[in-house]
């Protein structure tokens, strides 16, 4: 059986097997420094540069006597080797590869996975592990969320307080969105610029582009904690340890807990440009994510500086003030050869430059986003019910990811070409360990990979599940704490009851319930 995730474009099994006797040697037209094989002119593994093939595409031919790979670029050659890795199963102790012919190429150019390290910090080695698992699934964009209200995780030399103060919080909310429980422990961590360079290089060797997200104007409390003058009112507050409104409103009696930076001050604009300048030196990707979601406007309505900015630029309202800010950032990024990405709320502004890339995430349909993409705008699809991997499977079972189609979210068939691709999101308010990240992420990552790589007409849910079962020994070998079927795919009446319970507990109670159940089911022998 030919069993590969994501499913190749074309795959034909032939009679017989290639039997590996000892270590493989390779003859290659590419350097492939990650391939730890001895080089030999007489090798039975041959990798040929074939310029007529598409970018990232490849062919793989396995006969009884030889393995031949053709690719136009090094990344395509690596992807062929990842397919071969699953076919040969050498890591699992097998030595025979089924003879076959595979022709393969990706559906979408942007095949992304996101990690939020503001809420919980994982560190260099865990990020490298994350990238290795992406590489195996032919995912090629790492969206790295490095700043948010609860922590600033990237060194900025011009503004040292961003990490000295902004990377540290004194407590952390637990037990779900509706809870007011906290753990009173100091939480901290950030990446030096050398760390960032190391990870970007590591990703690049695996064909993965790293796109940073530095959030403005909202989700900036950790920056404001270090530099209070960034906000409309200069209030001295520490980095918050809460997620959402329950703790500040109910316990702290703080109505103005969600405060953005002030776009009315030139000093704020200069600060943002300074940040961008340093970050762009670290990330060669032609994209820069500015966030832009969930930006409250109440303070702007009362701020003399913001109101003067609106007047001076003939803006209609505070939404257009955010549009003005994003346009300033966009032009600054253009001068550095980069495009601005923002979450789809930025489209509320009527004056936003059309060259932006919009990332569509919201749970409800957004008519602004649909009009944007259907009128030629560039978009990344991360719709909540399919691609928010931080949510429990009880709320979003695995099939929600696999069944994703852009057309379900208002993208006309003729405009699917405006979509750069798809991306899964791993927010970490409640994901505080490798164990939990793995459980939430796998097998959703594998489903995402197939949505991103495989043409829609070539997908089949039952076939995917069959191949996923064949892949599960890799999870075990790689020490990946994947979710077993009864967690990721709850079924029947009992499944519906369990789904409801898991959802309730996630929002208030035990956010780790599915992880605990998963451990229990594995101990009972479930796969």
């Amino acid at each position: 059986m030919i069993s590969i995730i994501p499913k190749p474009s074309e795959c034909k099994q032939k009679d017989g097997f290639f039997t590996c006797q000892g270590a493989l040697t390779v003859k290659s037209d590419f350097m492939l420094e990650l391939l730890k094989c001895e080089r030999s002119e007489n090798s039975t593994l041959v990798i040929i540069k074939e310029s007529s093939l598409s970018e990232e595409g490849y062919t793989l031919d396995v006969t009884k006597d030889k393995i031949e790979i053709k690719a136009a670029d090094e990344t395509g050659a690596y992807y062929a080797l990842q397919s071969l890795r699953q076919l040969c199963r050498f890591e699992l102790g097998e030595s025979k590869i089924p003879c076959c012919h595979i022709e393969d190429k990706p559906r979408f150019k942007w095949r992304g996975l996101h990690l939020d390290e503001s809420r919980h910090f994982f560190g260099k080695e865990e990020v490298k592990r994350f990238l290795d698992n992406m590489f195996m699934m032919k995912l090629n964009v790492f969206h790295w969320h490095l700043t948010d209200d609860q922590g600033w995780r990237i060194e900025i030399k011009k503004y040292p307080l961003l990490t000295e103060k902004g990377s540290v919080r004194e407590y952390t909310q637990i037990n779900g969105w509706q809870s007011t429980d906290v753990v009173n422990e100091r939480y901290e961590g950030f990446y030096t610029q050398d760390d960032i360079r190391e990870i970007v290089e590591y990703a690049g060797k695996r064909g993965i582009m790293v796109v940073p997200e530095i959030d403005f104007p909202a989700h900036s409390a950790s920056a404001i904690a270090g530099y209070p003058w960034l906000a409309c009112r200069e209030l001295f507050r520490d980095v918050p340890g809460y997620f959402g409104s329950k703790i500040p409103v109910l316990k702290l009696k703080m109505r103005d807990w969600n405060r953005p930076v002030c776009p009315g001050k030139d000093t704020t604009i200069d600060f943002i440009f300074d940040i961008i300048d340093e970050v762009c030196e670290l990330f060669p990707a032609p994209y820069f994510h500015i966030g832009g979601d969930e930006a409250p406007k109440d303070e702007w309505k009362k701020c003399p500086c913001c109101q003067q900015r609106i007047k001076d630029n003939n803006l209609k309202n505070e939404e257009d003030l955010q549009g003005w800010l994003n346009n300033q950032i966009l032009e600054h990024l253009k001068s550095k050869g980069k495009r601005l990405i923002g979450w789809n709320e930025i489209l509320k502004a009527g004056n936003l430059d059309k060259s932006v890339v919009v990332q569509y995430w919201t749970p409800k349909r957004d008519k602004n986003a649909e009009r944007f993409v259907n009128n030629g705008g560039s978009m990344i699809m991360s719709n909540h019910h399919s691609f928010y991997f931080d949510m429990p499977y009880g709320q979003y079972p695995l099939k929600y990811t696999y069944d994703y189609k852009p057309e379900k979210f208002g993208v006309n068939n003729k405009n699917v070409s405006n979509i750069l691709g798809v991306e899964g999101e791993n927010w970490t308010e409640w994901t505080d360990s490798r164990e939990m990240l793995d459980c939430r992420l796998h097998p959703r990552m594998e489903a995402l990979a197939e949505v991103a790589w495989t043409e829609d007409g070539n997908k089949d849910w039952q076939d995917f599940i069959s191949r996923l079962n064949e892949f599960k020994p890799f999870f075990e070998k790689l020490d990946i704490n994947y979710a077993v079927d009864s967690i990721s795919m709850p079924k029947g009446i009992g499944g519906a009851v369990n789904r409801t319970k898991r959802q309730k507990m996630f929002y208030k109670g035990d956010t780790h319930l599915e992880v605990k159940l998963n451990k229990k089911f594995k101990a009972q022998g479930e796969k």
Side-chain angles (χ1 to χ4, degrees), residues 289 291-293 341-349 352 357-370 379-380 382-383 388:
H289 207 304
D293 61 312
I341 305 174
W343 301 105
N344 56 287
E345 288 101 321
I346 67 173
L347 292 172
K348 292 177 182 178
L352 189 64
V357 177
V358 170
Q359 190 159 8
Y360 187 4
W361 77 273
T362 48
K364 295 182 179 179
R365 293 272 294 271
D366 182 347
K367 296 299 182 184
N368 289 329
E370 293 169 16
M379 185 168 283
I380 302 159
S382 295
N383 303 97
Y388 264 50

Side-chain angles (χ1 to χ4, degrees), residues 35 66 89 92 99 110 116 140 148 250 274 277 316 338 343 400 415 440-441 444 491 498 502 505 513 527:
L35 180 59
K66 184 180 179 181
R89 302 170 75 85
L92 308 178
C99 294
W110 188 290
D116 162 23
N140 68 346
D148 213 299
L250 296 181
D274 289 340
D277 290 346
K316 291 181 180 179
K338 298 180 186 291
W343 301 105
Y400 283 29
N415 293 313
R440 287 281 192 251
L441 184 54
R444 282 168 166 158
K491 297 176 182 177
N498 286 331
R502 285 191 242 159
M505 291 294 283
L513 177 61
K527 298 292 185 181

Side-chain angles (χ1 to χ4, degrees), residues 10 14 36 56 59 72 80 126 128 150 184 209 302 306 312 361 441:
E10 183 180 328
K14 300 179 180 180
K36 306 303 181 185
E56 298 184 302
T59 64
E126 287 301 312
K128 288 178 180 179
Q150 294 78 20
N184 288 306
M209 175 175 67
K302 300 174 184 177
C306 289
D312 290 346
W361 77 273
L441 184 54

Side-chain angles (χ1 to χ4, degrees), residues 12 25 36 43 55 61 68 87 123-124 129 141 150 196 200 211 270 278 282 287 305 354 386 421 445 464 468 510:
K12 296 178 182 177
T25 60
K36 306 303 181 185
S43 175
E55 184 180 356
D61 283 284
E68 183 179 271
L87 281 175
K124 276 196 304 184
R129 177 177 181 265
V141 180
Q150 294 78 20
I196 297 288
V200 169
V211 177
D270 291 341
E278 286 199 35
L282 302 172
Y287 299 95
C305 296
K354 303 306 179 187
S386 297
M445 179 199 280
F464 171 72
L468 180 62
D510 186 355

Side-chain angles (χ1 to χ4, degrees), residues 121-154:
F121 180 77
F122 289 87
K124 276 196 304 184
E125 296 311 310
E126 287 301 312
V127 169
K128 288 178 180 179
R129 177 177 181 265
F130 190 90
L131 292 167
D132 286 340
N133 293 333
M134 287 180 63
F135 187 34
M136 190 173 188
M137 287 294 110
K138 306 182 177 77
L139 297 171
N140 68 346
V141 180
F142 175 41
H143 173 177
W144 204 1
H145 189 84
L146 289 164
T147 73
D148 213 299
D149 292 329
Q150 294 78 20
W152 186 281
R153 306 293 177 206
I154 178 172

Side-chain angles (χ1 to χ4, degrees), residues 195-244:
D195 292 335
I196 297 288
R197 291 187 187 95
E198 181 181 334
I199 290 170
V200 169
E201 181 183 11
Y202 189 91
K205 288 179 178 179
R206 290 152 180 78
I208 298 172
M209 175 175 67
V210 185
V211 177
E213 182 178 348
I214 310 295
D215 276 19
F216 293 109
H219 294 285
S220 302
S222 59
I224 296 170
Y227 299 94
W229 49 263
L230 286 169
C232 295
R233 293 178 296 139
E234 193 166 329
L235 304 178
F236 293 85
R237 290 177 178 171
D238 292 330
V239 176
Y242 50 77
F243 310 118

Side-chain angles (χ1 to χ4, degrees), residues 396-436:
Y396 295 149
L398 179 62
K399 200 168 190 294
Y400 283 29
T401 300
Y402 193 82
D403 282 352
Y404 181 80
K405 296 178 188 293
E407 294 86 347
K408 291 181 179 180
F409 292 87
V411 182
N412 297 333
N413 285 328
K414 64 180 181 179
N415 293 313
V416 170
S417 60
N418 295 329
I419 295 171
L420 299 183
V422 296
E423 181 181 292
E425 311 305 314
N426 292 281
W427 302 103
T428 62
E429 288 92 343
W430 319 112
T431 302
D432 56 3
S433 64
R434 172 199 283 194
E435 180 185 39
M436 189 157 186

Side-chain angles (χ1 to χ4, degrees), residues 79-300:
Y79 288 161
L81 289 167
Q82 291 290 6
S83 293
L84 185 63
R85 178 185 183 184
Q86 293 187 47
L87 281 175
C88 69
R89 302 170 75 85
F90 290 164
E91 291 166 276
L92 308 178
E94 299 183 21
S95 60
K96 290 185 176 182
I97 309 172
C99 294
C100 60
H101 172 75
I102 294 175
E103 296 180 13
D104 206 4
K105 62 180 181 179
R107 180 186 185 192
F108 290 117
K109 187 173 181 61
W110 188 290
R111 304 182 302 281
L113 201 60
H114 154 284
L115 181 63
D116 162 23
E117 288 207 79
S118 172
R119 280 57 178 259
H120 282 95
F121 180 77
F122 289 87
K124 276 196 304 184
E125 296 311 310
E126 287 301 312
V127 169
K128 288 178 180 179
R129 177 177 181 265
F130 190 90
L131 292 167
D132 286 340
N133 293 333
M134 287 180 63
F135 187 34
M136 190 173 188
M137 287 294 110
K138 306 182 177 77
L139 297 171
N140 68 346
V141 180
F142 175 41
H143 173 177
W144 204 1
H145 189 84
L146 289 164
T147 73
D148 213 299
D149 292 329
Q150 294 78 20
W152 186 281
R153 306 293 177 206
I154 178 172
E155 177 189 26
I156 303 296
K157 293 185 182 296
K158 189 168 184 177
Y159 299 103
L161 293 180
L162 288 173
T163 48
E164 288 177 20
K165 188 172 178 63
S167 71
V168 181
R169 62 177 185 257
E170 298 300 333
Y171 66 94
T172 301
Q173 183 179 348
I174 59 171
N175 295 334
W177 296 104
Q178 302 302 318
S179 168
T180 57
D181 299 334
V182 300
V183 172
N184 288 306
E185 293 179 1
R186 185 181 176 91
Y187 194 95
E188 58 188 315
F190 68 91
Y191 294 101
T192 67
Q193 293 194 0
D194 284 342
D195 292 335
I196 297 288
R197 291 187 187 95
E198 181 181 334
I199 290 170
V200 169
E201 181 183 11
Y202 189 91
K205 288 179 178 179
R206 290 152 180 78
I208 298 172
M209 175 175 67
V210 185
V211 177
E213 182 178 348
I214 310 295
D215 276 19
F216 293 109
H219 294 285
S220 302
S222 59
I224 296 170
Y227 299 94
W229 49 263
L230 286 169
C232 295
R233 293 178 296 139
E234 193 166 329
L235 304 178
F236 293 85
R237 290 177 178 171
D238 292 330
V239 176
Y242 50 77
F243 310 118
S245 64
K246 286 295 179 181
I247 287 176
V249 172
L250 296 181
K251 292 185 75 171
L252 304 178
K253 308 301 180 184
M254 183 192 300
R255 294 290 175 180
D256 60 349
W257 61 275
N258 189 14
R259 303 173 66 231
V261 299
C262 177
K265 299 176 183 177
D266 290 343
T267 49
T268 300
I269 309 303
D270 291 341
F271 177 90
I272 293 172
F273 286 1
D274 289 340
I275 300 294
I276 289 172
D277 290 346
E278 286 199 35
V279 173
C280 285
E281 288 295 318
L282 302 172
F283 295 90
Y287 299 95
F288 192 108
H289 207 304
I290 202 68
D293 61 312
E294 300 174 329
K297 310 292 193 300
D298 289 346
E299 290 209 348
W300 295 358

